[in-house]
Coordinates of all heavy atoms in Angstrom, one line a residue:
Chain B
D6 N -3.5 46.6 180.7 CA -3.0 46.9 179.4 C -3.7 48.2 178.9 O -4.8 48.4 179.3 CB -3.3 45.7 178.4 CG -2.6 45.8 177.1 OD1 -1.7 46.7 177.0 OD2 -3.0 45.1 176.2
I7 N -3.0 48.9 178.0 CA -3.6 50.1 177.4 C -3.9 49.8 176.0 O -2.9 49.5 175.2 CB -2.6 51.3 177.5 CG1 -2.2 51.6 179.0 CG2 -3.2 52.6 176.9 CD1 -1.2 52.7 179.2
G8 N -5.1 49.9 175.6 CA -5.5 49.7 174.2 C -5.0 50.8 173.3 O -4.8 51.9 173.8
Y9 N -5.0 50.6 171.9 CA -4.6 51.7 171.1 C -5.5 52.8 171.1 O -5.1 54.0 171.0 CB -4.4 51.1 169.6 CG -3.2 50.2 169.5 CD1 -3.3 48.9 169.4 CD2 -1.9 50.8 169.6 CE1 -2.2 48.0 169.3 CE2 -0.8 50.0 169.6 CZ -0.9 48.6 169.4 OH 0.2 47.8 169.4
G10 N -6.8 52.6 171.3 CA -7.8 53.6 171.4 C -7.5 54.5 172.6 O -7.6 55.7 172.5
Q11 N -7.3 53.8 173.7 CA -7.0 54.5 174.9 C -5.7 55.3 174.8 O -5.6 56.5 175.3 CB -6.8 53.6 176.1 CG -8.1 52.9 176.5 CD -7.9 51.5 177.2 OE1 -7.5 50.6 176.6 NE2 -8.0 51.5 178.5
L12 N -4.7 54.7 174.1 CA -3.4 55.4 173.9 C -3.7 56.7 173.1 O -3.1 57.8 173.4 CB -2.5 54.5 173.1 CG -1.0 54.9 173.1 CD1 -0.5 54.9 174.5 CD2 -0.2 53.8 172.3
A13 N -4.6 56.6 172.1 CA -4.9 57.8 171.3 C -5.5 58.9 172.2 O -5.4 60.1 171.9 CB -5.9 57.5 170.2
L14 N -6.3 58.5 173.3 CA -6.9 59.5 174.2 C -5.8 60.4 174.8 O -6.1 61.6 175.0 CB -7.7 58.8 175.3 CG -9.0 58.2 174.9 CD1 -9.7 57.5 176.1 CD2 -10.0 59.3 174.3
A15 N -4.6 59.8 175.0 CA -3.6 60.5 175.7 C -3.1 61.7 174.8 O -2.5 62.7 175.2 CB -2.4 59.6 176.0
L16 N -3.4 61.6 173.5 CA -3.1 62.7 172.6 C -3.9 64.0 173.0 O -3.4 65.1 172.6 CB -3.5 62.3 171.1 CG -2.5 61.4 170.4 CD1 -3.1 61.0 169.0 CD2 -1.2 62.0 170.2
V45 N 6.5 59.0 169.9 CA 5.8 57.8 169.6 C 6.8 56.9 168.8 O 7.0 55.7 169.1 CB 4.5 58.1 168.8 CG1 3.9 56.8 168.2 CG2 3.5 58.8 169.6
A49 N 8.4 53.5 170.1 CA 8.0 52.3 169.4 C 9.2 51.5 168.9 O 9.3 50.3 169.1 CB 7.1 52.6 168.3
Y53 N 10.4 47.7 170.1 CA 10.7 46.5 169.2 C 12.1 46.0 169.3 O 12.4 44.8 169.3 CB 10.3 46.8 167.8 CG 8.8 46.8 167.6 CD1 8.0 48.0 167.4 CD2 8.1 45.6 167.7 CE1 6.7 47.9 167.3 CE2 6.7 45.5 167.5 CZ 6.0 46.7 167.3 OH 4.6 46.7 167.2

Side-chain angles (χ1 to χ4, degrees):
Chain B
D6 194 10
I7 302 178
Y9 288 107
Q11 292 156 283
L12 199 56
L14 284 179
L16 283 174
V45 172
Y53 283 109

